Amino acid sequence: FDNFYVSPSCSPTRAALLTGMHEFRNGVIHTQQPREHLQRDAVTLPDLLKTAGYRTGFIGKWHLCGQKGYAPLDRGFTWSATNPKGPRAHFNVDIIRNNKKFPTKGYREDVFFNEAMTFMDESVAQKKPFFCYLSTYSPHDPLAAPEEFITPFKGKCSDEQATYLAMIANLDYNMGRLLEYMNKKGLDENTMLIFMNDNGVTKGLDVYNANMRGSKCSAWEGGCRAFSFWRWPNKWKPYTANNLTAHLDVLPTLCS
């Protein structure tokens, strides 16, 4: 989708994506408490998909309040995995999966993708259709990445830019891992895969911004125009859709 828009910052985008309601209608207008608390009576996409027999899993960054009544397991998800300390913990993170904590080794985003594949494995074993909502922190500030992903960019830009680009390269690597996994499991042809970002750039603004004005938290295109790639080989052939589209369209489209 080449004309796709989201909210100018992350929590409002997440709330709109999960409810199909603009942030002014769902109560999430900021990233700070209490303005990132999604309304308690809001119906979410996983709520609706569960009525069609779907197993619903959340992995990664939530940012819609983690308190009781607001956390993923209270908002329609039956499976949840995230890490304490959020974007500030990059390596060897603890993971809280369904309220049970355990340590992990390696880079946080690698672990998130591992968790997504664990959820899919369980869904396949139960012979259930699934909705997996994987939300990474990368390339969120503070910046950090495995050295092997930073090395190719060293000497070609500043150290900060090299780390920012390395975080994106790691996401590319993990998307490749996920696609390979889906292929081996026979899930690739009949699973809809959606890949999108939640708002405009901050740290990477001096690297590339597609000639757009503004950044994250601005109402200009640089703040709210996003990429949105949808893949479903059994149903669609690749093409570019130029229709005006947005995060608000995702819930009604998937439910339809």
Side-chain angles (χ1 to χ4, degrees), residues 76-107:
F77 289 100
T78 55
W79 199 96
S80 171
T82 188
N83 68 304
K85 301 182 182 179
R88 296 177 295 281
H90 294 89
F91 296 93
N92 303 330
V93 299
D94 287 334
I95 286 289
I96 301 175
R97 182 199 293 167
N98 300 334
N99 296 321
K100 294 181 180 179
K101 183 188 289 188
F102 60 92
T104 66
K105 295 289 186 182
Y107 189 52

Side-chain angles (χ1 to χ4, degrees), residues 2-3 33 49 106 153 179 218 229 232 243 252:
D2 205 33
N3 199 14
Q33 295 189 20
L49 292 177
F153 300 106
L179 286 168
S218 76
F229 297 99
W232 194 5
N243 307 60

Side-chain angles (χ1 to χ4, degrees), residues 2 5 28 30 69 78-79 82 91 108 140 146 200 224 226:
D2 205 33
Y5 289 82
V28 180
H30 208 300
T78 55
W79 199 96
T82 188
F91 296 93
R108 178 192 59 222
H140 200 287
C224 55

Side-chain angles (χ1 to χ4, degrees), residues 139 143 153 156-166 168 201-211:
L143 306 181
F153 300 106
K156 301 175 182 177
C157 53
S158 71
D159 288 347
E160 182 178 84
Q161 290 171 339
T163 306
Y164 166 76
L165 292 169
I168 296 174
V201 180
T202 51
K203 286 291 185 180
L205 196 61
D206 55 353
V207 178
Y208 179 75
N209 204 33
N211 296 317

Side-chain angles (χ1 to χ4, degrees), residues 26-38:
N26 64 44
V28 180
I29 58 172
H30 208 300
T31 58
Q32 304 296 320
Q33 295 189 20
R35 300 304 181 193
E36 89 316 7
H37 287 37
L38 180 62

Side-chain angles (χ1 to χ4, degrees), residues 1-146:
F1 292 96
D2 205 33
N3 199 14
F4 185 86
Y5 289 82
V6 294
S7 304
S9 67
C10 58
S11 294
T13 290
R14 292 158 200 279
L17 185 70
L18 286 174
T19 64
M21 292 191 292
H22 190 277
E23 57 259 37
F24 293 165
R25 294 183 179 274
N26 64 44
V28 180
I29 58 172
H30 208 300
T31 58
Q32 304 296 320
Q33 295 189 20
R35 300 304 181 193
E36 89 316 7
H37 287 37
L38 180 62
Q39 288 176 354
R40 291 287 290 270
D41 60 352
V43 177
T44 67
L45 178 57
D47 283 330
L48 296 167
L49 292 177
K50 280 199 300 186
T51 69
Y54 278 75
R55 192 165 181 260
T56 55
F58 165 78
I59 298 100
K61 179 181 178 181
W62 179 241
H63 215 162
L64 294 173
C65 182
Q67 298 171 8
K68 186 172 177 58
Y70 293 94
L73 292 176
D74 300 314
R75 305 315 301 252
F77 289 100
T78 55
W79 199 96
S80 171
T82 188
N83 68 304
K85 301 182 182 179
R88 296 177 295 281
H90 294 89
F91 296 93
N92 303 330
V93 299
D94 287 334
I95 286 289
I96 301 175
R97 182 199 293 167
N98 300 334
N99 296 321
K100 294 181 180 179
K101 183 188 289 188
F102 60 92
T104 66
K105 295 289 186 182
Y107 189 52
R108 178 192 59 222
E109 259 59 26
D110 298 345
V111 172
F112 283 169
F113 276 81
N114 290 342
E115 287 295 297
M117 289 182 268
T118 297
F119 167 73
M120 292 181 192
D121 275 340
E122 293 179 4
S123 302
V124 170
Q126 295 178 25
K127 298 182 179 179
K128 276 197 164 187
F130 60 84
F131 169 63
C132 180
Y133 174 33
L134 167 59
S135 179
T136 69
Y137 283 102
S138 289
H140 200 287
D141 182 51
L143 306 181

